[in-house]
Amino acid sequence: MPRRSILLFSAACLMFAVAIIVATFVVISRPAGGPAAGEVISTGQAEVGGPFQLVDHDGQAVDESMLEGKWSLVFFGFTYCPDYCPTTLQALDATKRRLGDRAKDVQIVFISVDPQRDTPKALKDYLSSDGFPEGVIGLTGSPEQVRAAADAYRAFYQKVGEGEDYTMNHSLTVYLMGPDGQFRTAVAEELGPETSARVVEQAMARG
């Protein structure tokens, strides 16, 4: 193969490899399409969050206005989740406890990606289980409503398997929303409660 052809071929291969690496980073590190965990948005408008129509664990219709007036830690999961969802609830509770008096201004919102099984009653029973923090707001809805909410937050989820034993793959991002209902930053469980609390405090200081 002529030298010029070899160089062109090598350059094409390099560009393809870079594209694959970038795509992999986006899918694995930022599954919800937002900034990395702890990266506070102070200028501009992140395309995360927006209108939704869902039902809370008491069976009451709610929309995005429920986020107004509080700092909200929002994440997507499901009650049959074997590990991430329970540990995230516990980690967010630990984060709130480290906020001291500011914890009263923070609410945890758990949006189910499994509306087939997660009825309002199922959510209420799940969130009232021993070991889970008090006051978590569970949200569900029709498959179409859940999809619209997930799309607004750029949250990924997918049903895996058939029959009663199916599970749900889903993205792991926790979204910190400000009292105006707008996205501030992403929080990841691996940050740990201490660091997560500092991320929340920094966002609060910026307003």
Side-chain angles (χ1 to χ4, degrees), residues 91 94-95 98 191-201:
T95 296
R98 283 163 173 78
L191 291 177
E194 285 288 349
T195 302
S196 294
R198 285 198 295 272
V199 169
V200 174
E201 288 172 339

Side-chain angles (χ1 to χ4, degrees):
M1 184 182 294
R3 178 177 176 79
R4 184 171 183 274
S5 297
I6 292 174
L7 290 174
L8 289 173
F9 178 75
S10 299
C13 290
L14 178 60
M15 292 176 66
F16 178 76
V18 169
I20 292 295
I21 292 171
V22 170
T24 302
F25 175 78
V26 170
V27 171
I28 295 176
S29 299
R30 294 186 178 182
E39 180 182 346
V40 177
I41 301 300
S42 57
T43 60
Q45 179 87 21
E47 294 181 1
V48 176
F52 59 79
Q53 300 284 334
L54 294 168
V55 179
D56 69 16
H57 60 255
D58 289 320
Q60 301 297 312
V62 299
D63 59 23
E64 66 279 2
S65 64
M66 65 165 292
L67 303 179
E68 296 175 2
K70 287 271 191 178
W71 289 86
S72 302
L73 291 162
V74 180
F75 78 104
F76 291 76
F78 64 114
T79 63
Y80 281 72
C81 182
D83 41 37
Y84 171 74
C85 298
T87 56
T88 297
L89 283 170
Q90 293 162 356
L92 292 179
D93 183 46
T95 296
K96 281 190 65 176
R97 283 189 271 109
R98 283 163 173 78
L99 291 172
D101 291 340
R102 290 184 170 184
K104 68 181 184 299
D105 299 322
V106 178
Q107 62 184 356
I108 301 171
V109 180
F110 175 75
I111 303 178
S112 173
V113 296
D114 186 12
Q116 180 177 332
R117 294 182 294 201
D118 288 345
T119 63
K121 183 180 185 306
L123 274 176
K124 189 166 188 173
D125 291 344
Y126 177 77
L127 294 172
S128 62
S129 301
D130 291 340
F132 284 169
E134 295 182 1
V136 177
I137 302 170
L139 302 181
T140 186
S142 68
E144 295 77 16
Q145 289 173 324
V146 169
R147 172 57 66 187
D151 287 348
Y153 280 78
R154 296 175 174 254
F156 164 83
Y157 69 93
Q158 182 181 44
K159 183 178 179 180
V160 179
E162 299 295 335
E164 295 181 358
D165 295 329
Y166 73 87
T167 188
M168 303 294 294
N169 286 340
H170 59 92
S171 52
L172 309 181
T173 304
V174 177
Y175 308 89
L176 177 64
M177 312 298 288
D180 56 359
Q182 300 299 312
F183 176 74
R184 291 296 192 276
T185 188
V187 179
E189 181 194 353
E190 60 265 25
L191 291 177
E194 285 288 349
T195 302
S196 294
R198 285 198 295 272
V199 169
V200 174
E201 288 172 339
Q202 288 169 2
M204 286 178 162
R206 286 180 167 86

